Amino acid sequence: MKTRLALLLSLSLATAAQAADESVAEVWTARCKSCHGPDGRARTQMGKKEAIVDMSQPAWQKARADDDIRAVIAEGSSRNKKMKPYKEKLTPQQIDSLVAYIRAFKKG
Ligand code: HEC
């Protein structure tokens, strides 16, 4: 009985770990790319329609602290409702990885 419970527990833990293990590139592709593009430049239909910022611009990168980026991903944008909050969908670690991923879009 106890072993079965332990087995069940370890199985569900494995599934949770797998979800968190999804690489940041996979998360970006699945959840962010449709609006922000593969490179963060927002050369997408939604990007044009909503005039989404080009995240590869050094000026944008400089104007935002990591905490600002983290907050927009977690809480969504107060300026544009199309940018939804992701705190229910992503772990804090995934959000941190996304911040680093976005930093890597910087040109030059
Ligand atoms: C349905 C389209 C859409 C999706 C999907 C989307 N975004 Fe956005 N995002 C937007 C829009 C629109 C803005 C512009 C909001 C603004 O001006 O504050 C934005 C802005 C941002 C900003 C910049 C805000 C600023 O301070 O300039 C960041 C960072 C961001 N999104 C990250 C993400 C991440 C990470 C994901 C995936 C987890 C994601 N977005 C998914 C539409 C989207």
Side-chain angles (χ1 to χ4, degrees), residues 26-48:
E26 282 167 344
V27 174
W28 180 269
T29 301
R31 298 181 186 266
C32 319
K33 192 181 111 181
S34 61
C35 295
H36 291 284
D39 49 9
R41 297 178 74 182
R43 293 184 164 176
T44 62
Q45 249 179 350
M46 183 68 85
K48 282 185 207 125

Side-chain angles (χ1 to χ4, degrees), residues 1-70:
M1 217 21 216
K2 263 202 181 140
T3 23
R4 249 199 222 162
L5 195 66
L7 188 68
L8 258 175
L9 255 176
S10 63
L11 275 177
S12 54
L13 280 178
T15 322
Q18 243 164 27
D21 212 45
E22 199 183 0
S23 84
V24 61
E26 282 167 344
V27 174
W28 180 269
T29 301
R31 298 181 186 266
C32 319
K33 192 181 111 181
S34 61
C35 295
H36 291 284
D39 49 9
R41 297 178 74 182
R43 293 184 164 176
T44 62
Q45 249 179 350
M46 183 68 85
K48 282 185 207 125
K49 202 168 139 241
E50 302 295 329
I52 301 178
V53 70
D54 173 352
M55 295 180 189
S56 72
Q57 288 178 87
W60 180 84
Q61 290 274 346
K62 213 174 149 198
R64 298 288 185 275
D66 286 359
D67 276 346
D68 300 329
I69 299 177
R70 208 174 280 128

Side-chain angles (χ1 to χ4, degrees), residues 77-91:
S77 172
S78 52
R79 290 183 297 259
N80 190 328
K81 296 257 171 296
K82 294 252 160 49
M83 179 61 208
K84 299 207 159 59
Y86 284 88
K87 62 171 185 274
E88 310 287 337
K89 297 185 173 123
L90 300 171
T91 65

